[in-house]
Amino acid sequence: MAKVTLSTLAEMKKNGEKFTSLTAYDATLAHLVSSQGVEVILVGDSLGNVCQGHTSTVPVTVNDMCYHTRCVSANAGDSLLVADLPFASYSSEEQALANATRLMQAGAEMVKLEGEAWLIPIVARLREQGIPSCVHLGLTPQSVHVLGGYKVQGRDEARATAMIEAAIALEKAGAAMLVLECVPSVLAREITQSVHIPVIGIGAGADTDGQILVVYDLLDMTGGSKPKFVKNFMAESGSTQKAVAAFVAAVKGGTFPGPEHGFE
Ligand code: KIV
């Protein structure tokens, strides 16, 4: 795989070619993921759950994110490296710029923020300063205490319309990518078709430009009950490498996600 950049992803979207994304939190996972041709690695603040054992991403700090971003960056290969700005670390333009700068200097090539229209000036300011941003819409885990749990978002007309309008306005403000989490598949399709930037889905149906999973979920390493959108790729593979390769093949071949992994 040649070095993946935003231009690579734009070209793939234009050609209707699906791309893949997985989380990684350390150098070993980064190698596992990048060596199987995963285009985008996310140092997700899900590390609060899967590495630190918290029940939400709220306790994750900018220092935590910088540490894990440096670890992943050492072995990210040709994958595009995106890192999450954690909870309450981008409440103003200046705070976002200061913290995004730290993530970029730790090795990130793009930062991800959760929210909707209120992010417009922040995204514009980051872009002005040479920092590409990815906006995470739908189920935004940092707001779990406002949302009242991990629930599908955008099922009612008003929320769906607000999300579509926010996606278009965020692209106009300079957002370079979107992540849609746990939204009805039909809404995800509409948002994906309404913007020119690449859209990655998780629990958002098969029609987004790319698909992402938490790497430990696809490797079946997380205990307890799994969200509906997760598939255990270890079940049909004899090794972690083969499981990641199976995820890549399934996304590119259009067999993952299936209708059973989405929400109507
Ligand atoms: O933190 C994370 O892992 C994420 C993905 C689930 C999209 O935001």
Side-chain angles (χ1 to χ4, degrees), residues 23 42 44-46 84 112 136 179 181 202 212 214:
T23 61
L42 171 69
D45 61 355
S46 51
D84 268 335
K112 179 161 79 61
H136 186 148
V179 165
E181 178 165 356
I202 175 165
I212 185 166
V214 168

Side-chain angles (χ1 to χ4, degrees), residues 135-154:
V135 179
H136 186 148
L137 300 147
L139 170 53
T140 46
Q142 290 172 12
S143 304
V144 62
H145 299 303
V146 170
L147 299 175
Y150 297 100
K151 298 175 184 164
V152 180
Q153 302 295 310

Side-chain angles (χ1 to χ4, degrees), residues 6 8 23-24 30-31 36 39 52 56-57 64 69 83 95 107 112 120 147 179-180 187 192 201 203 212 226 255-256:
L6 283 173
T8 318
T23 61
H31 176 69
Q36 298 308 316
E39 281 89 358
Q52 299 175 337
S56 82
T57 57
D64 294 336
T69 300
Q95 189 194 23
K112 179 161 79 61
I120 288 170
L147 299 175
V179 165
L180 301 178
L187 173 60
T192 305
I212 185 166
K226 303 276 188 299
T255 56
F256 178 80

Side-chain angles (χ1 to χ4, degrees), residues 74-99:
N75 249 347
D78 290 325
S79 305
L80 179 76
L81 182 50
V82 183
D84 268 335
L85 276 164
F87 178 72
S89 68
Y90 46 96
S91 308
S92 67
E93 289 173 42
E94 291 320 304
Q95 189 194 23
L97 181 57
N99 289 324

